[in-house]
Amino acid sequence: MLARLSDRNPVLAPDQLVGEMVPPRMFDDVSFDSYIPDPNEPSQAAAVAAARDFVARASKVRAGAKKKGLFRKASTPQGIGLYLDGGFGVGKTHLLASVYHSMPGPKAFATFGEVTNVVGALGYIDALERLADHSVLCIDEFELDDPGDTMVVSRLLTELVARGVSIVATSNTLPGQLGEGRFAAQDFLREIQKLSAIFETIRVDGPDYRHRDLPPAPEPATDAELEEHAASVEGSTLDTFDDLVAHLAKLHPSKYKSLVDGVNLVCIEGLRPAADQAVALRIVAFADRLYDAEIPVSVSGVKLDEVFTPEMVAGGYRKKYLRATSRLLALSRFAEADA
């Protein structure tokens, strides 16, 4: 009988939650030198230079913080911030991971969703104390989805910077525009402006490398073909779409990464458009974890680019859904290559 993700119930200890805040394995060996800027996009070379400069300045902050530990009368140097803004697939995460690899430990790397999940799982004070001795917190795909996130993240980053932790983030939304279209951003303008003040913003332009010269979404398999494919790959899982989304709803999103540990192929039977926004956002978080782990995805039912309805894509979470679609299509092509 084929394994099912819906039968897995991972349990995580607090230390494990923070310990897992590292770059996805596809970025284990990246560096500034391995980032090849597009010669037609000068902003990419400028972003590399800005990221290198950030590392140099943040390392000095870190050295000053250590010196403060020896001479208690010295004031704690404040951390600095860098914000890489740009479209999908232009190499922002590559640069973010390069910053992480270049900084001394302890250090942390997580998506914005993972940061909020860690705070939710540990509690604000515990999360703050566990991150306060870090040299840098690298946040991928920075975004604000609701007022609660705005308040928590603003407070957390402000306190971390005050304690000497430097922050580098990537996003496709400028800091001053975070939250637009999702909630009454004007009501939280003070918090949003506080966040914006932390960062120096650098724009990174270019086409999505994941879709350069690539075909559209592959045709879904039949149920029989999907089951045969799953049976042929060791370490594969096979779930119906309805069972999987029901199971995701029962798990804290901080557990999604552990949910797919050791899985080599995820097969989803009867894929259909997400029933509502809550389901769609869980799929986004799940897709991010699959992409980070480079786990191929194969489906029956509708095409992967039809999971998020046109109404959803036209709404306030548009960029989030487009990113997830981009990543799912990339993973489906991995599955096709292995079939």
Side-chain angles (χ1 to χ4, degrees), residues 57 69 153 187 200:
R57 292 185 294 122
V153 171
D187 293 340
E200 171 194 1

Side-chain angles (χ1 to χ4, degrees), residues 4 69 99 121 128 182 210 214 218 244 248 287 289 293 307 321 338:
R4 303 192 323 151
V99 169
L128 174 64
R182 297 173 177 86
R210 287 189 289 268
L214 290 175
L244 180 59
L248 293 177
R289 302 292 76 74
V307 173
Y321 294 144
D338 293 340

Side-chain angles (χ1 to χ4, degrees), residues 176-258:
Q177 298 173 328
L178 289 166
E180 283 188 358
R182 297 173 177 86
F183 58 90
Q186 66 273 14
D187 293 340
F188 298 88
L189 188 58
R190 179 180 175 185
E191 298 301 326
I192 293 171
Q193 288 175 337
K194 189 186 299 182
L195 280 174
S196 181
I198 291 173
F199 299 109
E200 171 194 1
T201 301
I202 301 294
R203 178 74 187 177
V204 191
D205 292 310
D208 185 342
Y209 76 89
R210 287 189 289 268
H211 296 293
R212 291 173 192 165
D213 304 316
L214 290 175
E219 290 296 324
T222 65
D223 289 349
E225 290 170 338
L226 188 67
E227 291 173 15
E228 183 179 354
H229 188 193
S232 70
V233 177
E234 186 176 354
S236 65
T237 61
L238 175 64
D239 295 79
T240 67
F241 177 73
D242 289 345
D243 285 348
L244 180 59
V245 296
H247 188 57
L248 293 177
K250 298 174 185 175
L251 295 177
H252 192 279
S254 62
K255 297 182 177 182
Y256 288 4
K257 180 183 289 187
S258 296

Side-chain angles (χ1 to χ4, degrees), residues 24-32 34 94 98 101:
R25 64 189 183 193
M26 70 179 76
F27 296 105
D28 281 350
D29 301 317
V30 302
S31 66
F32 294 127
S34 66
H94 182 132
S98 299
H101 292 313

Side-chain angles (χ1 to χ4, degrees), residues 43-103:
S43 65
Q44 294 187 7
V48 175
R52 286 184 185 274
D53 178 65
F54 172 87
V55 168
R57 292 185 294 122
S59 296
K60 289 181 180 178
V61 170
R62 177 64 174 173
K66 283 188 172 182
K67 197 173 292 184
K68 185 259 180 186
L70 296 174
F71 305 100
R72 296 289 178 181
K73 291 183 180 180
S75 60
T76 302
Q78 285 218 337
I80 61 173
L82 178 67
Y83 195 97
L84 300 174
D85 173 69
F88 307 111
V90 296
K92 302 189 304 293
T93 305
H94 182 132
L95 292 176
L96 188 68
S98 299
V99 169
Y100 175 91
H101 292 313
S102 301
M103 288 293 294

Side-chain angles (χ1 to χ4, degrees), residues 258-276:
S258 296
L259 181 68
V260 297
D261 276 352
V263 175
N264 295 322
L265 169 68
V266 167
C267 295
I268 305 173
E269 196 171 66
L271 188 73
R272 59 187 177 85
D276 54 47

